[in-house]
Amino acid sequence: MKQLFYCAEVKGQGSVKPSGNFNSSADAEVLHKAMKGLGTDEDAILQLLTARSNVQRQEIKAAYKTLFGKDLVDNLKSELGGKFETLIVGLMTPPIMYDAKSLHDAIKGAGTDEKVLVEILASRTPEVVNAIKAAYKKEYDHDLEEDVSGDTSGHFKRLLVILLQVLFKAGEEKFGTDEQTFVTILGNRSAEHLRKVFDVYMKMAGYEMEESIKRETSGSLEDLLLAVVKCARSVPAYFAETLYYAMKGAGTDDNTLIRVMVSRSEVDMLDIRAAFRRLFSCSLHSMIKGDTGGDYRKALLLLCGGDDA
């Protein structure tokens, strides 16, 4: 059962790699020292944790418990605060568990954060979605599909459920309305198959699939259909766009910024950086630098892994 928490995605180029000279006990000692006595050495904490893979962070957590009899995450929470704390706790959470928690937080309480459901379910591989469902069931004793169904409606709900059922296979059902057709086609085919469909669609219709979706749909369904199309074309480009709009204009969507930087740092952050530079003619590094501050900014820039100015 433990294995599912480390289910890896198809690897692109991550900015965070496992540390070569790794010693979990030595790292646990460094963290303990950083939090001992008056004041906290935030810099030591962020420098260490952003330079270790998630699997290594779990080993540090176990060593910390053995050496000091305390829970490392609890200690970090009591010493840190605000967005920096949220980011560090995110880094300490196993990836599949992090996705399951993000979905749970998006569903529970009044109202649903559709943006989180769209982002995670449209971008993760079928294997990862299955692992998330298992982790969600284990952690919350609830069925993720049922929770999503109970919290959403209409075609939006239908496509989310299709994505959760991981039905990325050719389905030849025919429905009356355009919306039903979009939902069925996009929910039931592989990314490779979809890219071919988009090319043919462009030749036949004279405009891109995205244009059609924007004309035919609106609201959460439009967001989800567009996310599925964008992820079929390029997952890194989808996340580059997500990060750009999280920081563009007045105010920053820190929850989205943290979620993407944490969840993609070991998967495809270098690819996201390259896509960001291509799409927005500025570097992800420079945008984070201009939009955030303090230890929070330092940690995000280390996860970013470099500047493509």
Side-chain angles (χ1 to χ4, degrees):
M1 197 59 171
K2 191 179 175 187
Q3 196 53 42
L4 65 85
F5 294 108
Y6 300 111
C7 184
E9 300 200 36
V10 177
K11 289 283 183 192
Q13 296 283 318
S15 55
V16 173
K17 306 272 195 287
S19 171
N21 303 317
F22 177 63
N23 181 324
S24 58
S25 297
D27 284 353
E29 295 271 9
V30 169
L31 292 172
H32 185 254
K33 190 179 167 195
M35 293 186 280
K36 205 169 65 176
L38 287 173
T40 305
D41 187 349
E42 284 91 352
D43 205 55
I45 293 169
L46 69 89
Q47 292 285 350
L48 190 146
L49 292 178
T50 57
R52 304 291 182 270
S53 69
N54 195 281
V55 169
Q56 289 176 335
R57 290 181 209 126
Q58 303 313 315
E59 290 179 32
I60 296 166
K61 188 182 170 187
Y64 193 92
K65 181 79 174 172
T66 303
L67 289 169
F68 308 110
K70 291 174 181 168
D71 185 276
L72 174 56
V73 176
D74 288 347
N75 279 18
L76 287 166
K77 281 180 180 173
S78 68
E79 295 289 329
L80 310 175
K83 294 173 286 198
F84 180 53
E85 178 195 331
T86 306
L87 177 65
I88 294 296
V89 171
L91 288 174
M92 290 303 303
T93 311
I96 296 298
M97 208 48 248
Y98 186 69
D99 280 350
K101 186 182 185 311
S102 297
L103 290 168
H104 184 257
D105 291 349
I107 294 165
K108 75 174 187 192
T112 307
D113 191 343
E114 275 108 358
K115 184 164 51 177
V116 178
L117 302 184
V118 167
E119 179 199 301
I120 293 175
L121 297 179
S123 66
R124 303 306 192 251
T125 64
E127 295 76 20
V128 170
V129 172
N130 269 333
I132 292 167
K133 282 162 64 178
Y136 190 96
K137 179 76 178 165
K138 185 172 189 285
E139 186 68 15
Y140 304 110
D141 198 25
H142 264 242
D143 185 88
L144 178 56
E145 205 177 301
E146 283 175 19
D147 283 1
V148 166
S149 291
D151 240 47
T152 57
S153 60
H155 294 296
F156 176 64
K157 166 171 144 178
R158 180 172 157 70
L159 182 51
L160 281 174
V161 170
I162 287 173
L163 293 174
L164 274 167
Q165 290 169 345
V166 206
L167 297 177
F168 285 85
K169 60 180 194 292
E172 292 304 319
E173 300 165 86
K174 296 284 185 286
F175 290 98
T177 68
D178 282 336
E179 285 188 347
Q180 284 282 42
T181 307
F182 277 132
V183 167
T184 308
I185 289 173
L186 294 179
N188 286 293
R189 287 159 176 77
S190 69
E192 191 184 357
H193 182 87
L194 285 176
R195 286 193 289 272
K196 290 174 185 162
V197 170
F198 302 155
D199 291 343
V200 173
Y201 188 90
M202 177 71 191
K203 286 178 189 144
M204 287 171 65
Y207 44 85
E208 296 286 11
M209 177 67 78
E210 288 91 330
E211 285 304 306
S212 237
I213 289 169
K214 285 173 186 172
R215 285 181 204 183
E216 300 286 344
T217 62
S218 62
S220 297
L221 176 64
E222 180 187 345
D223 294 340
L224 181 55
L225 290 168
L226 285 173
V228 171
V229 170
K230 286 171 184 172
C231 287
R233 289 193 192 279
S234 164
V235 170
Y238 167 72
F239 280 114
E241 204 174 296
T242 302
L243 286 167
Y244 179 78
Y245 288 109
M247 292 183 279
K248 184 178 178 280
T252 304
D253 179 353
D254 289 296
N255 288 335
T256 297
L257 181 55
I258 291 168
R259 197 171 54 249
V260 176
M261 294 303 291
V262 167
S263 65
R264 309 312 292 185
S265 58
E266 287 184 65
V267 182
D268 53 2
M269 186 53 68
L270 301 187
D271 306 307
I272 292 168
R273 270 172 40 191
F276 196 99
R277 189 83 189 76
R278 191 179 68 248
L279 290 167
F280 305 111
S281 37
C282 69
S283 69
L284 175 59
H285 190 278
S286 65
M287 200 161 183
I288 291 170
K289 199 172 179 181
D291 223 59
T292 57
D295 294 316
Y296 175 53
R297 172 167 67 186
K298 277 190 204 169
L300 285 171
L301 291 176
L302 286 167
L303 290 177
C304 182
D307 195 352
D308 309 294

